[in-house]
Every structure is written in C-alpha cells, then in structure tokens.
Amino acid sequence: MPTFCEVIPREYRDSVALMQLSAALAKMPGVAQASAVMGTENNLSLLRQAGMDIGQVAIGPNDLLIAIQGDEAAAGEALKEAKTRLSSQGAKVDAGGPLEMPPHSIGMALARHEDANLAMISTPGEYATAEALKALNLGLNVMLFSNNVSGADEAMLKRVARDKDLIVMGPDCGTAIINGIPLAFANVVKRGPIGAVGASGTGLQEITVLVDRLGSGISQAIGTGGHDLSAEVGGISMLTGLKYLTDDPETKIITLISKPPAKEIADQILGKARASGKPVVVIFLGADPKAITGGNIHGATTLEDAARIAVALAKGEKPPAANGAATLPAGLPKLAPGQKYIRGLFSGGTFCFQATMLLQSAMDIHSNSAVGKSLPLADMFKSEGNTVVDLGDDVFTRGRPHPMIDYRLRTERIVQEAQDPGMAVLLLDVVLGFGSNADPAAELIPALKKARQIAEKEGRAFICVGHVCGTDGDHQGLAAQSKALAETGMILADSNAQAVRLARDIVAPAK
Amino acid sequence: MNVQTVITGEVSRFGALASPILWADTIGCRVPERWRKGRVQAVFERACHIVTDDRGFLAILTGDCGNVAHGIRLKTRPRLNAHVRVGQHVSFADNRITFGSQNLTVELADAEAWQSELRPGLFDNGLRLGNHATIARQLLTQAAARSDSEFLKLVARLDMPSTPLADLVGRQLAPLKTAQRSRDHASALATLANLIGLGPGLTPAGDDFIIGWLAGLTLSASTADAKLFLQEMCEGVADRRHATTTVSAQHLDDACQLQFSERLSNLCIAIGRDRSDTDLRALIDAQLAIGATSGADAAAGLMFALSDLARDGDSD
Amino acid sequence: MSKLFTQSTIINVGLSSFAEAVVQTGGQAEQVEWTPPAAGDRDVGLALARLVKNPAVDAATEQSHQRYLQSQPVLVGIGTAGKDIPNMGERMLLHAGPPIDWPDMCGPVQGAIVGAILYERWANTPEDARKLAASGKIAFAPCHHHAAVGPMAGVISPSMPVWIVENTDGGNRAYSNMNEGLGKVLRFGANNKEVLDRLDWLQAVLGPALQKTVQKLGPLEMKPLIAQALHMGDECHNRNAAASSLLFRKLVPAALQTDVPADQLRSALGFIAGNDHFFLNLSMATCKAMLDAAHGVKGSAMVTVMARNGVKFGVRMSGTGDAWFQADALPVDGLYFPSYGPEDAAKDLGDSAITETAGIGGFAMAAAPAIVQFVGGTPADAVANTLAMTNITVGRNNAFTLPALNFTGTPAGIDARKVLDTNIMPIINTGIAHKEAGVGQIGAGITRAPLDCFSAAIKTLAASLQ
C-alpha cells in the first residue's frame, strides 16, 4: 500500500500531541498506518522499518513529517485532518477551560463522591490519627495502613467508629479485600462464601490465597491491625468485623485470625461468634484449637488448616483433620556432617511466627518473633543454631522499604547464611500481590545461585525450602514465579506450614 | 487602571498595564551573554525558545520549571503562550529581553546565575548506591506503568504492546548495556547513534534517554576508566547532535558539557548522597513532570546507567 | 448490612499506588492531594479533625453564614468620621489591618499617619507630625475595631467624610473613607501639599456635595448594584470601573436636584467620573456591613475579617470574638509597572481583603477576566481561581451570580476549617504599594492569606469549645 507524506517546516509539537495525532489519523477509514514525527534520520528509518515507503523525502530534523499509508483518497482526507488538528491544537491552549483541581482533603473528595464509604489512609503516622478521625466524622469507614499510631489514639478512633457504626481497619493494617477489591498488600482472589477478619496482614493474605487455591472464594477480608485484640483496644474492630460478616448475606462461613488474645477478649469474641449462627473457623495462632472447638466454632492450628476447614464447610463437607505430615521429595542431596540447622528468612511476620510455633516442639529455635519457649537472638543480624527471622521487624526496616518490596536485605542475608557450615536448610517465604516486589524471583535467583555455589564449593549440600503466597491473578503470576524459583532447585511447598514441616523433617526426621 | 485624575489634570504616569515585566529568577550558565536580536522559535505554556541571529539558543522558562543550562527561569508563572508568538522579534539590551514592540519584557538584572552541581568525581570518596538508588528504581518502576514513555517502560521491563519504536529501542538496550559494562567506546557510540533524534516530539525521546544516561554515567564516574568512558561518550554524542531538532541538539550539547537540567542534577545528587532526610519521591515526581515524556525518558536513561552499577555491588 | 459492603468509591489519602491498584482491579478510587494541615503541627491537626463535621460548629457556622446572606447593606448617608464612627476619639487615627504601634508601622502607613496629622492641623510640619505620632498623644486603632475599613494604609482621621452603610436587617452600620484616586495619595503614604489639598477639598467640597446628593437620592441598596457590576466585568476589589459608572448614574440625577453650587458640583462629579476606583471604598464598607452581621456567633468557624497592616496579615473569625490571628504577610505575585520590581514593594497592605472575605474580589474573579492580565494568566485561570475558592467557603452567595459559571453564586463565607484542611489559601486581588511612603502604587497582582492565621484561629476555636 502506498505511503503519502506531507512536510510541515519548522513546526514544533510535544511528543504526546504528536502521538495523539498519529493515533487519531490511524483510526480513520482506509488508513493502514499513520505517523507524525520530527524529521530526524532515525525517525525516517523507523518509518521505513515499519514498512512505510516514504521515498527520499526532503526534510530536516526541525520539520514535522506526517506520513499516511493507505489508499490515495483516504490519505488525502487524513492529511487534511492532520492540518486541521494541528491548527486547532494550537488555538485550544488558550481557549481551554479551567481544570478541576484534584481534591485536597477527604472532605473535598467526599463532596465529589457522595457515595464513598471508605477512606484508605497511608500518611506518616503522626498525621494519620487526625485524617482517620476526619474520615470517621464524615461518616466513612477507615482502612489505616499507617503505623506509629499510639495505642491510645487507636482506642479513641475505634470507640468513635463504634459509636457511628463504622469500622477502623488498622492502624498498621496491611491487607484487606473489600467487595472483591484488594486493598494495600493483598492478592487477587476469587469471590466466594468465606469471609475473614484478621489481626495479621500476612495471615489474612495466606488464608485468602489458600481459599482461592482450594477452589472456593472470599466474600470480604477485613484487617484489624495487630494491636486490636490488646487489652487497651479490646478487639473493637474484630467484634465489628464479626458483626458485619454475620449480617452479610454473601458470607456463609466466617474465619477469624489472631494471636491468642486475653481471656476476657477471647470470651467476648467467641460468644459473639457462637451467636452469629454461621460456621466460624477460629485460629488463635499458638493456642490449642481443641479448647475453642464446639458447636459452630471450629478451631484451627495453622493458617493452612483454617483455610482447609473453611473451604470444606463452604462445600458442605466435614471439616478435615489437621494437616501434619510432610512428604520429603525424592533425591534430596545428602547433608554434610555439621549441616544441622534451619535458617528461616521471612518477609511476612505471621509466617515467621507460625514457623517459630511449629518448630519449637521439635527443636530449640531462635527467633525475633517470640512464641512459647522460643529463644531470643543475641544479634538479629546473625543467626545461631536454628534461627527464623522476621525481616519486617522495625530493626530491619528503618529507613528502607519493607522486605516484601526491597529484597536486598534478604538476598544479602541468604549469602551470609550460605557461608555458615552449620546451615542445613534455608527456609523462605515469597509474597506476591499488590504492593509487593514486581518480580521476587528475579531478585532471589542470583542470591540463591551464589549461595549454592558457596555451599557446594565447600562440599556442603544446599537445600532451600519455601512457599509462594500468591495467585495467578496477581500481577507477578504464581505460576511464573514458582517455575523460575523451582528451576534454581528451590523446593516449593503449598503453604507456609508445609514448608516449615518440610524443613523440620529434613533436619530432624520424625522418630 | 488607565486613570486620569481630574484635579491635577495629569495622565497617570503608569498608563495601562500593556507592557508587563517578567522578572528572571535564575540564568543558566550557557545562556548567550552577547546578542542583540533574535526570533521566537517555539512557544509552549511554560517555555519559550529563542534563536539569536548569530545562531545562539536560549529558553525562557516559567517559575514552576527547573532551570536548564541554556535557560532563564522567571520568578512568576505567566502563561507564555498567551504573551508570545512564534516568529516574534526579540531584542536584548541593558539586561532586558524585549519581545515584539514591547509586548513583554524579561528583566534579568535581579537574577542569579545557575549551573548544574553534578560532576564526575562528586562522590569519589565512596559512591555507594544505597537506599535511594533502590527506592528510585522502585518509584520509577511504579511510575513506568502510568507513563507514556516507552523508554521508561522498557527499562523497567514492563509488558508493553509491540510498536516499531519499542522494538527498535528494545534492540539497542542490550548492546548498550554490554558496551557500557566493557567500556567499549565504539560499540556504545554506534548504538547511541541509533537513538539520537528517535521519537516523535520536539525533544525526541531517544535524546532525552541519552541525556539521562550521561547523567547516570557522570554520577557514577569515580574511577579514571569510567571518567574516560564518560568523556568519550560526551565527545561522540556532541559530534552527532545535529541529527536531531535544534532544541534537542541544544539539550544534548549541554549534557555533553556535563550541564544537566536542574531537576535531573538534583535527583542524581540526592541518589548519590543517599541521605534519608531527602524527599526522593518529590524529586522524582518533579523529574517526571518535565514535558510530556521528556522527564520520564531521561529518568529511564538514568535508571539504565545505574542499574548495572547496583548489580555490580551484589555479584561480587 | 454494613455500608462498607456496598461497592463505591474509595478515598485514598497517602500512597497513590494504592489508589492505582484499586482502579486496576475494577474499583473506583479518588486520590487526595494531601499535605499535612497546619504546616504539620500535629496538635492543631487533631484539633481540626475534632471540628470537622462537628455538629455544634457546623450549626454555628451555618448560622453566621445565614446572617451574612440575609444582611441588607444600604448606603444611608455621608458622615464625618469623628462624629459618626462609634467610639472615635478626638485625637484618634484609624489604620488598616490588625493593631500596630507607631514604631512598627511600615513606610506607607507612617506616611499616611503624618499626612493625616498635618491634614487635621495637629502639627505644622512633617517632622512635628512624626514627633507627635511617636509621643503617644495620638491614639491609633484598627479601622476594624470601629466598624470601619480603609484601603491600603487605611488611615481615617476625625475630619474626613465617610460613607455610611447600614445593614437594615441587623441594624449595624459600617464606614469607609473617600477614594482619592491614583498617583500621590494618602493611602499610599504620600503627604505633600497636593495630597493635603485634595483631602481638604474632599472635606470641603466632595463630602458636602455627596452628603446632599445621597440625602436626595434616598437609601441606596448595595447588593443589586454590586450584582450588576459583577455582570459587567468587575470583581469590586481591583476592578471597579463598572460599579463606579453605575454609582455615577445614580448620583448625577439626584445631585442635579440639590442646592450644591454649580462649580462645586462640576468639580465633585468630575472627580468621581475620573476615578475608576471611586466605588472601591463603598464596596468595602458594604462588605464590612455584611460581615459584621455574621460576627459573634459562638462556635462559628466563618471568617469575618481579613486585613493587612503592611507588616502582618490578620484574620478574625465569627466564633472567636475580638481576637486577631496574625502571620507575616505573603509577597504579591504580580506585574510591576515599568522601572519597579519586587524589591521595591511594601508588604501586603490594606483592609480591602474584606471584599474577598465577603465573597467578591478574588473570590469572584470569574466575573472579571480582565484582572488576570496582572499575573499573565488567561480568563480560564480567573474561572479556576473562583472554582478553587468554592472548596473553602461555607456556601455561595446567590445575590452575586457569575455569568461565566452559569450564574451560580460567588463562593462566600470562608470556613477556616476548610482552609486548614485543604491547604487552599484564600486568594486576594490586590494593588502593590511602594515600600517607601508616597511613591504610590507600583503594580498589581494576586496574593494569598497565610495559612498560619487559620491554624491559630482553629486552635483558639477548639480550645473555646472544650
């Protein structure tokens, strides 16, 4: 198809104007390709490469070239249109109407969207209380991502919310899925009958992801912030969330996630749960599930179990027994003498907590996430014996992004661990979803390769076990990430709990 | 405002406000100092380009822009395209630039000199691409998703529809990286030659990318080898600058003299200093706000030059 | 069911990537361009948060706004400052802005004080006048403490003729002096013979002629006149060409029916006809009458005064009584007349920001596109400025409609809470005075009310409600 050109000498436009012009011309009937560019040699050769035969057009870098590929009549029309647009674009600058200014406050935003029902707040902590209070006063629910909000402020905000029949998710609430929309650090999961309220961000992520993978879906997932069930706050948001899910016709099964609260608060929550009339799966991480099971309440030990029970109940099946055993993959390399210890490097706080919880019965475990009889770390930057570390701890995140975003701290530590002849298994979590690193596998792989080289050069085995918390809906892609990681020899489990058990069984085979 | 006072019978000496004066804030170090007449070559809302009769070049920028080496930044933010026309005569005398028959005057007397502080060796005592380099990379990767800059998307390795431009640029990046790593002057310049003048607009995206890349090389040039490579690149690009538009050639020429724009140098210096009290996001937003995609294209070049360096630190 | 579970817009404050993620997954989100209120003062920020949507403050603010809307400003006569302005002492001089002592006054205000002393014959030479001013024997008070307003230096002395505007709805009256025109004038601090002669003439000829004319004319309603002027391209602060003409059209037929001698009438009418800003002082007195009606409602966050004395910018709020909330005045973004520049400018000066406080002036800039040439803008900028102000006002004043905005009312009644919460500073059209006394106006442009005034006001209001 022939190409027709028009040269407009000394015509200057910015690139967006020219790209828009090209796009508009290309859409005209009978036009195959259209391009408006400054006449530099590289631009001309680009047009030729794109199959536009512009011949030996006489043009310099300061002239505008409009090239149209199409039949002659259409090209004529397009060139005419181009000139009209160029002359009106120039005039439009002056005649343009005023732009509406973006909202400068929650009140201004609400005036434009009277239907709004939720304010998401992630300002620096010292201003977050005021913004949250304004949102509540204006009748909005609040998701408070900010941290560094005092306990007193949190309690005040939550009381104000309770009086207005609103909820405050947070402070330090990293995850929620409301009406199918993932908020902050959350994963893309199917909608379904299971509602969740969680005081733990990664706990909520793991359960929603596993529910999705087990073929069910999430109605609503409400975060409360980790401090909600403290005596100071009294679980106000957990109670409100429970009430919301009880009243929500879409929610058939309710899941509650928290570390064990004070007895008084636990009693209150379990009382309301019993009265909800819906099956409620409760996981108080680290507490005995049998103590709370009964009636419509189903206790769970691990996040994975909680998801499995919830999905079974949603399908009308009997709740399954706790998942305990792990099957070791075939062909594991033989550990050298002296390779005895697990080294867990976690970006999710709850994953570290659950690992500490599951490992402490089998071995002495050092951790910065205290559970039961776990041992403290003398130096958080150095492992000793069996060690699991939450790299999201304030000690590590001061002045740098969270380890789910910035993998540098973890990749450095992986190499450091590989140099320790005592390490037997490296245990990791990889969290996908909104807010997380765009390509965790690409961040980890060079470090894993290097760690393997170091260990193998010194005659040791290198075993890495981990799990990916994410779905194929997440922009990083579960399948793509898993494949890339598996290719480096990483052993991938379906859940954090299974990864931890695998690691445990490798260093301390079941008797 | 055109007032006669009946009592004194005199016409107010102020007359009508037909001849507004704009006060210059800063003057770039490469603005021609001796010229008398010129013409307006292009006008945008916030910038106006003047070519002098002796083929010199300068830009007038409004107060909300960062300055450039060949630019005069104003104290206020008038809409320049409401006052100035393309082709208008411009004269310069007594520290004043006058447009047309006194339609508009730019007063330079009160302005301060400005030049880019970024230069090789600024961080010779240990450039460590620390937090800020990582955060900058993250922020730019985020920004790439909503940017129209094909360069930024490519450097951030985002999925994007295949266009002839994207394909061509994509083919240049790998050899450029290899040449940068091995400091192979000839191959690097051969690749750059394919980028000069590439892209639709007044300042083609390829040129902006090269400018950002040179800024990145300048920031990280702490060894003699790196400085030599930078010098070769500058000389080579300067030789080839006439393959693009006059305005863009001027920007390239500034960059080859290591005079980068105010916003780009501020961003580079902040990354190099790596101090936690710097608002890096604001600096990046300011850089990305330049032009339609120019700021983003240059940021892509910067990110490309630095990514390699950041990785060096990891691998050995 | 909880309102949370109805699909609707999410308002995002903070990391913009969160809003982008919401939109990517099919939700709706509105990003707030957030900066910490009160320049990051956490306590004031919290105090503000408690006042947002506070029922008592909302009701009080609404009540003061209603009083402002219902006010009926009427020109009832021309009086003499010493006789008519309440509590005006014999040796008292009123000035613009918040209270200030002689030594602290800026050049133009000191110059105007000296001029007024000479005009009152309290001293014979400028040197003696300065000594007298410094001696403590003259009482200085803000115009605003006496229901009065004056442009620029705003100096009003006992013998000056003054406009009297009465709010017939509430019965309160407001006062302002006569506009002297441009050039060497008292309000810019000039005090030479030409200035004093003109002041004498205002007192001896213009005042009496106007007094008889207004008496013959009868009470003149001001709102319809201002409304009409807004439709003719005025904003009644920096542009008064239309309003001055409309007033002139009212005055002439009445003047011709008075017994004022023809030569006096000729010079009086000639003076009015030659001064595009003749209406400004009457516009200000009208605004003052409307806003005084709104002042003094306990708990109200509506701003009733914005005024500058050349050093400080001062704000008063309906719910905080006589308190002034002050901050350093901001520079003016504007165009300078040839041979002047920013370094020559006095700080922002005058009571004329009462017009913006009342919803005209800069707030009605959409009515007066010609104004924007001062800052090199376009008519679209003028509309944008008015629209921006709608975000910080209690409501609109439908007595003053704007053709460019499809005849909606001007944004009126500044809510200090909204200013602080949005960080949108009230816009003010203004002239620029030379920093030395008597040089006069050297430019015009746009300035803003500093946010610190509003921080202090909100802090005081919050404390008063505890």
Side-chain angles (χ1 to χ4, degrees):
Chain A
M1 211 178 283
T3 299
F4 300 86
C5 294
E6 178 95 22
V7 175
I8 307 179
R10 317 236 145 218
E11 179 78 35
Y12 300 101
R13 300 288 165 154
D14 67 42
S15 49
V16 166
L18 292 181
M19 284 192 277
Q20 285 168 348
L21 179 62
S22 305
L25 298 178
K27 278 193 205 129
M28 290 178 68
V31 173
Q33 283 195 78
S35 188
V37 293
M38 299 306 290
T40 64
E41 201 45 57
N42 275 326
N43 281 341
L44 299 183
S45 67
L46 183 66
L47 294 184
R48 291 188 187 105
Q49 281 176 38
M52 293 171 92
D53 179 16
I54 51 173
Q56 291 306 314
V57 58
I59 192 167
N62 289 312
D63 306 324
L64 176 63
L65 174 71
I66 299 170
I68 309 285
Q69 191 178 40
D71 61 62
E72 191 168 355
E77 280 302 308
L79 289 172
K80 214 164 85 187
E81 172 71 14
K83 286 185 180 168
T84 318
R85 280 175 181 261
L86 282 172
S87 58
S88 71
Q89 256 177 12
K92 214 163 62 190
V93 177
D94 289 342
L99 291 171
E100 192 178 32
M101 79 197 302
H104 282 47
S105 67
I106 297 174
M108 261 177 91
L110 187 59
R112 288 177 203 188
H113 304 276
E114 286 173 355
D115 65 325
N117 60 2
L118 174 65
M120 208 176 351
I121 295 167
S122 52
T123 66
E126 58 176 318
Y127 309 116
T129 304
E131 293 307 316
L133 182 57
K134 276 183 237 171
L136 292 171
N137 284 342
L138 290 163
L140 295 167
N141 295 291
V142 169
M143 171 156 169
L144 196 50
F145 179 82
S146 315
N147 58 359
N148 292 324
V149 173
S150 73
D153 279 4
E154 177 176 353
M156 180 274 289
L157 289 173
K158 288 185 170 175
R159 275 186 226 116
V160 171
R162 187 174 55 192
D163 291 346
K164 295 174 185 284
D165 192 19
L166 296 168
I167 190 166
V168 175
M169 297 185 270
D172 208 2
C173 172
T175 305
I177 303 174
I178 303 297
N179 307 321
I181 307 290
L183 302 179
F185 287 71
N187 304 86
V188 176
V189 300
K190 289 188 283 289
R191 288 204 82 171
I194 298 171
V197 190
S200 131
T202 29
L204 211 48
Q205 279 189 277
E206 174 89 332
I207 285 192
T208 55
V209 161
L210 292 176
V211 161
D212 177 89
R213 250 188 250 170
L214 291 166
S216 189
I218 296 295
S219 58
Q220 308 284 351
I222 295 170
T224 66
H227 193 60
D228 185 62
L229 281 83
S230 66
E232 193 174 13
V233 182
I236 294 178
S237 292
M238 172 82 59
L239 287 165
T240 307
L242 176 56
K243 176 166 148 271
Y244 285 0
L245 293 181
T246 303
D247 296 344
D248 175 29
E250 306 289 316
T251 301
K252 311 293 183 206
I253 314 288
I254 298 172
T255 310
L256 305 178
I257 307 141
S258 166
K259 290 178 191 173
K263 181 165 184 316
E264 196 186 306
I265 298 168
D267 285 349
Q268 210 183 346
I269 289 168
L270 292 172
K272 295 281 182 196
R274 254 174 235 118
S276 73
K278 295 184 181 181
V280 182
V281 182
V282 180
I283 170 164
F284 287 150
L285 272 164
D288 180 8
K290 290 193 206 80
I292 49 176
T293 303
N296 64 335
I297 310 277
H298 304 266
T301 309
T302 62
L303 298 166
E304 180 189 26
D305 283 345
R308 289 170 60 236
I309 296 169
V311 172
L313 291 169
K315 291 180 177 166
E317 295 163 5
K318 216 167 128 283
N323 208 346
T327 320
L328 290 183
L332 272 180
K334 199 168 146 25
L335 292 169
Q339 281 194 279
K340 288 191 286 194
Y341 301 123
I342 293 176
R343 296 291 157 80
L345 305 175
F346 290 101
S347 61
T350 307
F351 294 144
C352 182
F353 186 89
Q354 185 167 263
T356 316
M357 179 188 99
L358 291 173
L359 293 174
Q360 59 175 341
S361 57
M363 58 190 73
D364 287 343
I365 180 89
H366 296 267
S367 172
N368 61 344
S369 162
V371 191
K373 51 180 189 171
S374 71
L375 305 165
L377 277 163
D379 176 357
M380 293 238 231
F381 292 86
K382 206 169 170 302
S383 300
E384 47 189 307
N386 293 298
T387 293
V388 290
V389 208
D390 170 12
L391 295 173
D393 193 305
D394 287 348
V395 174
F396 300 111
T397 57
R398 208 157 289 152
R400 65 160 81 210
H402 193 276
M404 286 183 198
I405 304 170
D406 182 351
Y407 271 65
R408 212 156 37 118
L409 184 69
R410 194 142 63 141
T411 51
E412 284 163 9
R413 183 78 175 245
I414 287 172
V415 174
Q416 182 187 322
E417 298 295 348
Q419 283 155 350
D420 182 346
M423 183 182 81
V425 183
L426 181 68
L427 177 58
L428 301 174
D429 64 354
V430 178
V431 181
L432 310 184
F434 284 103
S436 293
N437 187 291
D439 190 355
E443 302 276 350
L444 284 172
I445 287 168
L448 292 175
K449 283 187 177 155
K450 191 159 173 182
R452 177 180 299 280
Q453 272 172 14
I454 293 170
E456 288 177 353
K457 198 167 148 202
E458 293 174 19
R460 297 195 297 271
F462 178 74
I463 304 177
C464 175
V465 179
H467 95 292
V468 183
C469 177
T471 68
D472 275 324
D474 290 327
H475 63 98
Q476 301 93 342
L478 173 66
Q481 292 289 317
S482 302
K483 182 162 174 282
L485 290 168
E487 278 168 5
T488 66
M490 183 164 164
I491 302 165
L492 286 171
D494 287 340
S495 70
N496 167 255
Q498 288 191 32
V500 173
R501 288 195 193 100
L502 269 177
R504 179 193 66 194
D505 293 353
I506 291 168
V507 298
K511 286 150 202 131
Chain B
M1 270 300 147
N2 197 354
V3 177
Q4 282 188 319
T5 49
V6 173
I7 285 190
T8 60
E10 73 175 14
V11 177
S12 159
R13 66 196 167 100
F14 303 127
L17 276 178
S19 176
I21 297 178
L22 301 172
W23 291 77
D25 184 28
T26 58
I27 302 180
C29 59
R30 305 195 75 211
V31 170
E33 286 173 15
R34 284 189 196 83
W35 59 283
R36 292 187 54 236
K37 293 200 176 305
R39 269 183 194 253
V40 176
Q41 190 196 28
V43 185
F44 301 88
E45 193 172 316
R46 298 188 294 179
C48 150
H49 299 139
I50 298 168
V51 176
T52 66
D53 283 359
D54 50 0
R55 308 194 70 75
F57 182 88
L58 66 150
I60 310 278
L61 304 164
T62 59
D64 48 343
C65 298
N67 208 348
V68 294
H70 58 269
I72 295 174
R73 188 176 69 181
L74 304 174
K75 288 188 172 159
T76 52
R77 293 166 298 170
R79 284 194 188 202
L80 291 173
N81 52 3
H83 294 273
V84 176
R85 289 186 333 282
V86 171
Q88 207 167 21
H89 288 278
V90 187
S91 59
F92 179 54
D94 299 334
N95 247 342
R96 273 185 186 197
I97 300 172
T98 307
F99 290 79
S101 49
Q102 307 240 317
N103 279 350
L104 185 80
T105 310
V106 176
E107 171 63 60
L108 306 188
D110 202 28
E112 288 177 17
W114 176 83
Q115 63 173 340
S116 165
E117 301 289 332
L118 178 63
R119 55 181 196 279
L122 191 59
F123 298 102
D124 267 2
N125 298 330
L127 171 72
R128 195 178 60 84
L129 285 175
N131 269 336
H132 275 33
T134 312
I135 299 171
R137 200 152 32 133
Q138 282 285 341
L139 290 171
L140 287 171
T141 304
Q142 283 171 20
R146 53 180 192 277
S147 171
D148 285 322
S149 162
E150 282 157 315
F151 278 89
L152 190 55
K153 283 186 198 291
L154 282 166
V155 172
R157 282 181 261 157
L158 291 192
D159 283 340
M160 58 183 297
S162 163
T163 64
L165 178 66
D167 295 348
L168 191 137
V169 174
R171 285 200 302 275
Q172 310 303 317
L173 293 185
L176 182 60
K177 175 125 295 178
T178 314
Q180 179 187 332
R181 280 185 187 152
S182 54
R183 306 226 163 94
D184 176 348
H185 307 155
S187 316
L189 284 174
T191 315
L192 293 180
N194 293 328
L195 295 177
I196 291 179
L198 185 67
L202 175 64
T203 57
D207 302 341
D208 291 317
F209 176 84
I210 293 172
I211 290 168
W213 185 71
L214 289 175
L217 291 189
T218 309
L219 171 64
S220 55
S222 48
T223 63
D225 265 8
K227 283 175 189 163
L228 180 65
F229 181 66
L230 171 65
Q231 193 189 339
E232 294 272 356
M233 290 303 102
C234 288
E235 285 167 10
V237 170
D239 286 348
R240 288 164 174 79
R241 71 179 188 276
H242 295 296
T244 187
T245 67
T246 317
V247 173
S248 200
Q250 183 67 41
H251 285 294
L252 279 177
D253 195 42
D254 288 348
C256 293
Q257 302 292 328
L258 302 186
Q259 280 299 325
F260 300 98
S261 76
E262 192 169 358
R263 289 185 178 174
L264 185 59
S265 12
N266 288 349
L267 175 59
C268 289
I269 292 170
I271 290 174
R273 286 215 173 103
D274 198 28
R275 281 174 39 171
S276 61
D277 56 353
T278 315
D279 187 353
L280 196 63
R281 179 183 284 269
L283 290 171
I284 286 181
D285 285 348
Q287 172 64 25
L288 294 178
I290 299 172
T293 61
S294 290
D297 294 327
L302 173 64
M303 188 172 165
F304 187 76
L306 295 185
S307 62
D308 208 40
L309 220 87
R311 213 148 278 149
D312 278 350
D314 285 350
S315 57
D316 32 53
Chain C
M1 200 180 78
S2 164
K3 183 179 142 190
L4 181 63
F5 298 157
T6 48
Q7 177 90 42
S8 57
T9 306
I10 294 169
I11 294 174
N12 189 45
V13 188
L15 302 170
S16 60
S17 57
F18 288 173
E20 285 151 21
V22 167
V23 173
Q24 274 173 36
T25 43
Q28 293 150 16
E30 178 79 85
Q31 175 70 23
V32 174
E33 293 252 318
W34 183 84
T35 37
D41 184 321
R42 187 176 187 274
D43 293 337
V44 178
L46 269 176
L48 169 68
R50 289 195 194 95
L51 297 184
V52 166
K53 203 78 185 176
N54 176 305
V57 177
D58 279 2
T61 306
E62 184 55 33
Q63 193 194 343
S64 47
H65 193 243
Q66 283 303 323
R67 286 201 204 162
Y68 152 82
L69 290 177
Q70 283 160 14
S71 63
Q72 288 299 339
V74 173
L75 172 62
V76 293
I78 305 294
T80 306
K83 200 160 105 289
D84 291 286
I85 293 181
N87 306 317
M88 176 102 180
E90 256 181 48
R91 287 235 162 171
M92 178 182 270
L93 294 177
L94 306 183
H95 62 78
I100 188 165
D101 288 334
W102 167 259
D104 303 328
M105 289 174 184
C106 69
V109 174
Q110 285 194 341
I113 295 280
V114 167
I117 290 173
L118 296 173
Y119 158 67
E120 292 289 348
R121 278 50 174 192
W122 296 338
N124 291 322
T125 64
E127 294 68 35
D128 287 350
R130 287 185 163 271
K131 274 186 209 144
L132 184 60
S135 71
K137 288 180 185 149
I138 307 278
F140 299 114
C143 292
H144 274 293
H145 288 187
H146 296 268
V149 278
M152 287 292 157
V155 169
I156 300 177
S157 70
S159 305
M160 289 182 182
V162 290
W163 298 102
I164 305 175
V165 176
E166 181 171 319
N167 163 26
T168 56
D169 183 64
N172 59 298
R173 287 184 164 198
Y175 309 85
S176 182
N177 51 1
M178 296 290 138
N179 193 291
E180 315 155 74
L182 279 181
K184 290 219 179 295
V185 286
L186 188 75
R187 70 173 187 281
F188 287 108
N191 52 30
N192 61 9
K193 181 163 184 308
E194 170 195 338
V195 174
L196 299 175
D197 286 351
R198 191 187 304 118
L199 290 176
D200 285 343
W201 178 85
L202 290 174
Q203 181 185 343
V205 178
L206 183 73
L210 265 183
Q211 193 264 329
K212 286 180 177 165
T213 302
V214 172
Q215 200 175 26
K216 184 61 81 183
L217 181 65
L220 177 62
E221 281 199 47
M222 298 307 298
K223 274 186 175 176
L225 199 150
I226 290 176
Q228 202 179 351
L230 293 182
H231 286 191
M232 294 167 70
D234 279 2
E235 39 70 282
C236 295
H237 181 175
N238 244 13
R239 190 174 198 278
N240 288 287
S244 298
S245 306
L246 290 171
L247 179 67
F248 190 70
R249 221 169 60 168
K250 296 276 184 198
L251 294 177
V252 173
L256 294 175
Q257 294 174 50
T258 62
D259 59 1
V260 179
D263 59 333
Q264 287 188 20
L265 203 55
R266 196 159 44 238
S267 69
L269 292 176
F271 175 80
I272 298 170
N275 183 352
D276 273 352
H277 277 300
F278 187 71
F279 185 76
L280 171 63
N281 302 45
L282 184 51
S283 170
M284 288 168 58
T286 303
C287 292
K288 177 67 176 162
M290 293 165 69
L291 288 164
D292 271 356
H295 194 76
V297 179
K298 186 179 176 342
S300 168
M302 181 172 149
V303 173
T304 49
V305 171
M306 295 196 292
R308 312 87 94 194
N309 60 22
V311 179
K312 295 283 182 186
F313 193 109
V315 161
R316 290 172 123 182
M317 196 163 63
S318 174
T320 45
D322 291 340
W324 284 95
F325 306 104
Q326 302 184 42
D328 287 339
L330 297 175
V332 181
D333 176 15
L335 286 182
Y336 290 83
F337 300 149
S339 76
Y340 294 106
E343 69 282 0
D344 300 318
K347 280 201 187 175
D348 195 15
L349 177 62
D351 284 336
S352 57
I354 195 73
T355 54
E356 278 81 13
T357 320
I360 55 176
F363 281 50
M365 213 191 284
I371 285 284
V372 291
Q373 60 182 335
F374 294 136
V375 282
T378 66
D381 293 335
V383 173
N385 281 329
T386 291
L387 285 176
M389 293 304 108
T390 60
N391 296 303
I392 56 169
T393 55
V394 185
R396 290 172 179 268
N397 185 345
N398 289 325
F400 302 143
T401 59
L402 300 166
L405 291 173
N406 202 17
F407 296 96
T408 51
T410 60
I414 299 165
D415 186 329
R417 293 174 297 175
K418 292 185 180 174
V419 174
L420 204 54
D421 198 14
T422 59
N423 282 313
I424 297 174
M425 297 183 274
I427 194 165
I428 295 166
N429 289 343
T430 194
I432 306 171
H434 198 284
K435 65 186 173 193
E436 285 159 27
V439 178
Q441 184 171 6
I442 57 168
I446 288 173
T447 186
R448 302 260 176 184
L451 289 169
D452 286 350
C453 298
F454 300 89
S455 287
I458 286 301
K459 204 168 160 181
T460 304
L461 183 67
S464 78
L465 294 174
Q466 271 171 3

